[in-house]
Amino acid sequence: MKPEDYIEGILKSDRIALSRAITLIESKKKEHRLIADEVIENILPETGKSLRIGITGVPGVGKSTFIEKIGKFLTSNGKKIAVLSIDPTSTISKGSILGDKTRMEELSVDPKAFIRPSPTGNYLGGVAQKTRETILLCEAAGYEIIIVETVGVGQSEVSVKKMVDFFLLLMLAGGGDELQGIKRGIMEMADMIVINKVDGSNKKAGERAAKEFEKALHLFPPNENGWVVPVGTASALEHTGIEDTWKTILKFRDLTTENGHFHSNRENQNLSWFREALRERLEQDFFSRHHVRQNLKETEELIFSGKLPVRKGIDRLLSGI
Amino acid sequence: MKPEDYIEGILKSDRIALSRAITLIESKKKEHRLIADEVIENILPETGKSLRIGITGVPGVGKSTFIEKIGKFLTSNGKKIAVLSIDPTSTISKGSILGDKTRMEELSVDPKAFIRPSPTGNYLGGVAQKTRETILLCEAAGYEIIIVETVGVGQSEVSVKKMVDFFLLLMLAGGGDELQGIKRGIMEMADMIVINKVDGSNKKAGERAAKEFEKALHLFPPNENGWVVPVGTASALEHTGIEDTWKTILKFRDLTTENGHFHSNRENQNLSWFREALRERLEQDFFSRHHVRQNLKETEELIFSGKLPVRKGIDRLLSGI
């Protein structure tokens, strides 16, 4: 397949062309990357029209089921949605394709939904870059809502926050123990918190938790974009919270579109994506040098234990070049 | 003065030698930097023995008075303390030296206290590096407690968090409006929150605010180091909160020393300082190249508005080298 074939296929919303183009993005071969670059450059004018939603939460919070429910709700309302994921652990398990397919049983066979598991990669930066480019391809293929899913541990949710318009944090009622898995700092990144699995005997505790969180969030500094972060509840069992969540997302979009923050956020994301990618490229070039590879570990050990000043350590690595 | 003179002077706790060595660190002249590097390398074995405390809060929260009070409390208990500041705005006002001296009237004439205003610099990274090195010099000169003060706006408090053992956030009662100045994400970085100016007619509101914050913080994910973030109150007028804050800081130190987090935090800070400084150096080298300087602005504008793909933009800048 030539670049034109991919471009034509994607613009015609052909799933196979789209899948293959994503595979090119994920490939480590240089000739694949060159084709991918040409494809992206050509589809660029057709991108940016979707609503990009990030969803995070610790394992066990019910992310997949929540995404399946909101996904089915959207496709049954005629929307085309794509679900991408960033899972830094997928490199290890190697099972994320099967995992995602079986996890979202209904959505994975829905003709209006496109599900793509996390690309594997050696480091998060690379995975994030690939997901950003995949968002562009999905948009060019006519997907109107892009959901980027991630696990609420490690650094991946910061990456996702930087590539979406709306960032949703799923939590469980109870506080304390359940929060063990979540990293500090995530709560202040959320545009909405949904307490999940609020049903049956868990209902009262869930509703109380929602109220407590709402109160706590009022103590946070306000968002620059004027958005007051709401706390909702949801249950897959009792079919609650899905439509409300969607309405909230639309409210957010309307408010930020009107006050200009939706657009300026996208522009700033473009620029910081560029700067990050550039920095990564410079670092990759540097760290792949022979002298650096030979001396990095020892230098870092001396720095770590405080035996070598930082500036001397840098000189040491730069001197051999 | 030769490097040996600075080293000897600092190790003898000579204030003039210390001040001059800091001036070398802040200098842009290469010959000064070379002397500074040699000084730091030689005093390194004498560093690391202080307790490093970061204090942040928006302008008007009463930072200077709070630091003066806690500083006087410590020096009157026989401790030697240094107060450094990171103020990204000091470059503009150029008045920070006079400002700091007049702000902390008592502390600035205390022989057991050493006050140094924020170094000026073109960018925060550089200022942060200089402050980190200044901490080392102060430690070698025998200062047992180093307070690094910063304004709770912009990015400077993230830098300070990364160079201290304990991070204190000062706030005012009332919530809402007062929080406008504080950036999101700072609350989750704090090891303690102190509601300041809790006196007179403000007392009830202040105590209520402290309780609300304490409750809200329980909803945050727990700290890895096992520390439960407390909320205190303080008043310079009514002389309250200073000793309690200090006791809390000691409790934190004891807990984290015992469970090993105090030490591992220092080691990780060393390593991330090194990696940041290295990255900055690589970027500086890159951005100072003729081709990059000529094309950066145009490239970034195309990226910003979404007219050029990120990878093409990077190729564009790298191609001319």
Side-chain angles (χ1 to χ4, degrees), chain B residues 5-64:
Chain B
D5 302 326
Y6 289 105
I7 296 162
E8 212 192 300
I10 289 170
L11 295 181
K12 277 198 304 193
S13 200
D14 177 61
R15 296 169 74 103
I16 294 167
L18 175 61
S19 289
R20 286 195 181 151
I22 298 172
T23 305
L24 287 185
I25 286 176
E26 293 172 0
S27 169
K28 276 175 186 138
K29 287 193 185 153
K30 201 170 177 187
E31 63 265 36
H32 292 165
R33 271 294 351 172
L34 289 174
I35 303 174
D37 285 350
E38 205 178 325
V39 172
I40 291 167
E41 188 169 17
N42 279 282
I43 55 101
L44 206 59
E46 303 305 320
T47 64
K49 291 162 195 163
S50 81
L51 188 56
R52 304 168 182 169
I53 301 166
I55 299 186
T56 194
V58 293
V61 78
K63 261 193 318 296
S64 305

Side-chain angles (χ1 to χ4, degrees), chain A residues 184-185 188 221 275 279 300, chain B residues 184-185 188 221 275 283 300:
Chain A
R184 288 177 81 79
E188 291 193 57
R275 286 177 179 166
R279 182 189 297 150
E300 287 205 336
Chain B
R184 289 177 80 80
E188 290 193 59
R275 286 177 180 164
E283 283 182 39
E300 287 205 336

Side-chain angles (χ1 to χ4, degrees), chain A residues 12-295:
Chain A
K12 279 198 304 194
S13 201
D14 177 61
R15 297 169 73 102
I16 293 166
L18 174 62
S19 288
R20 286 195 182 154
I22 297 173
T23 305
L24 287 185
I25 285 176
E26 294 172 359
S27 169
K28 278 179 183 132
K29 286 190 185 156
K30 201 171 177 184
E31 63 264 36
H32 291 166
R33 271 296 347 175
L34 289 174
I35 302 174
D37 285 350
E38 204 178 327
V39 172
I40 291 168
E41 188 168 19
N42 279 283
I43 56 98
L44 205 59
E46 303 305 321
T47 64
K49 289 162 196 164
S50 82
L51 188 55
R52 303 166 184 171
I53 301 166
I55 299 186
T56 192
V58 293
V61 76
K63 257 191 326 294
S64 303
T65 312
F66 186 87
I67 292 171
E68 171 140 284
K69 293 286 172 195
I70 202 164
K72 286 303 292 178
F73 169 75
L74 292 169
T75 58
S76 69
N77 277 281
K79 299 284 182 196
K80 286 183 68 183
I81 74 152
V83 180
L84 315 175
S85 57
I86 291 195
D87 178 2
T89 61
S90 73
T91 322
I92 303 153
S93 68
K94 301 268 183 202
S96 53
I97 293 182
L98 189 66
D100 280 353
K101 292 284 182 200
T102 51
R103 269 164 50 205
M104 300 178 199
E105 274 180 29
E106 280 185 74
L107 204 60
S108 60
V109 294
D110 189 323
K112 287 191 162 296
F114 179 83
I115 300 182
R116 181 83 181 194
S118 183
T120 52
N122 295 324
Y123 64 107
L124 176 63
V127 173
Q129 302 291 345
K130 288 167 187 172
T131 305
R132 283 173 176 274
E133 290 176 332
T134 302
I135 290 176
L136 298 178
L137 294 186
C138 290
E139 288 179 339
Y143 290 92
E144 300 158 276
I145 294 144
I146 319 269
I147 293 176
V148 186
E149 170 201 16
T150 189
V151 191
V153 289
Q155 274 297 102
S156 62
E157 64 292 323
V158 179
S159 298
V160 172
K161 167 78 179 171
K162 286 182 186 169
M163 63 177 81
V164 297
D165 306 311
F166 186 91
F167 194 62
L168 173 67
L169 170 62
L170 293 182
M171 296 191 85
L172 294 173
D177 290 349
E178 287 82 0
L179 288 167
Q180 289 284 1
I182 274 231
K183 258 190 72 176
R184 288 177 81 79
I186 294 188
M187 277 178 59
E188 291 193 57
M189 281 170 20
D191 295 307
M192 179 181 190
I193 293 177
V194 169
I195 315 287
N196 203 19
K197 301 188 180 175
V198 177
D199 43 38
S201 62
N202 198 24
K203 211 159 182 172
K204 271 196 178 157
E207 277 157 8
R208 199 170 49 234
K211 279 207 188 84
E212 276 171 16
F213 274 110
E214 196 149 70
K215 218 178 150 196
L217 289 173
H218 276 103
L219 295 171
F220 278 23
N223 273 304
E224 259 180 54
N225 57 13
W227 177 249
V228 179
V229 178
V231 183
T233 59
S235 159
L237 277 178
E238 301 187 2
H239 305 285
T240 54
I242 295 299
E243 210 176 325
D244 286 344
T245 301
W246 179 244
K247 278 185 189 157
T248 303
I249 295 173
L250 291 182
K251 244 192 234 167
F252 174 90
R253 188 197 57 184
D254 293 346
L255 173 83
T256 55
T257 303
E258 204 172 310
N259 66 23
H261 272 91
F262 190 91
H263 186 64
S264 65
N265 180 46
R266 283 266 179 105
E267 286 182 332
N268 291 329
Q269 284 181 340
N270 280 343
L271 197 57
S272 72
W273 173 17
F274 174 67
R275 286 177 179 166
E276 263 168 46
L278 181 61
R279 182 189 297 150
E280 270 168 27
R281 179 84 161 263
L282 293 176
E283 283 182 38
Q284 268 174 35
D285 289 354
F286 178 78
F287 288 115
S288 63
R289 287 173 187 167
H290 183 70
H291 172 79
V292 175
R293 274 187 296 155
Q294 287 218 306
N295 292 285

Side-chain angles (χ1 to χ4, degrees), chain B residues 253-298:
Chain B
R253 188 197 57 185
D254 293 346
L255 173 84
T256 55
T257 303
E258 205 172 311
N259 67 23
H261 271 90
F262 190 90
H263 186 64
S264 65
N265 181 46
R266 284 268 179 104
E267 286 183 331
N268 291 329
Q269 284 180 341
N270 279 343
L271 197 56
S272 72
W273 174 17
F274 174 66
R275 286 177 180 164
E276 264 168 46
L278 181 61
R279 183 189 297 147
E280 270 168 28
R281 178 82 161 263
L282 292 175
E283 283 182 39
Q284 267 175 35
D285 290 352
F286 178 77
F287 288 114
S288 63
R289 287 173 187 169
H290 183 70
H291 173 79
V292 175
R293 273 188 295 156
Q294 287 217 307
N295 292 284
L296 182 65
K297 210 186 152 200
E298 197 201 27

Side-chain angles (χ1 to χ4, degrees), chain B residues 187-205:
Chain B
M187 277 179 60
E188 290 193 59
M189 281 170 20
D191 295 306
M192 179 182 190
I193 293 178
V194 169
I195 315 287
N196 203 18
K197 300 187 182 176
V198 177
D199 44 37
S201 61
N202 198 24
K203 210 160 183 172
K204 271 196 178 158

Side-chain angles (χ1 to χ4, degrees), chain B residues 208-275:
Chain B
R208 200 169 50 235
K211 279 206 187 84
E212 276 170 16
F213 274 110
E214 196 149 71
K215 215 176 151 196
L217 289 173
H218 277 105
L219 296 171
F220 277 23
N223 272 305
E224 259 181 54
N225 58 12
W227 177 249
V228 179
V229 178
V231 183
T233 59
S235 159
L237 277 179
E238 301 188 1
H239 306 284
T240 54
I242 295 300
E243 208 176 326
D244 287 343
T245 302
W246 178 245
K247 278 185 190 158
T248 303
I249 294 173
L250 291 182
K251 244 192 234 167
F252 174 90
R253 188 197 57 185
D254 293 346
L255 173 84
T256 55
T257 303
E258 205 172 311
N259 67 23
H261 271 90
F262 190 90
H263 186 64
S264 65
N265 181 46
R266 284 268 179 104
E267 286 183 331
N268 291 329
Q269 284 180 341
N270 279 343
L271 197 56
S272 72
W273 174 17
F274 174 66
R275 286 177 180 164

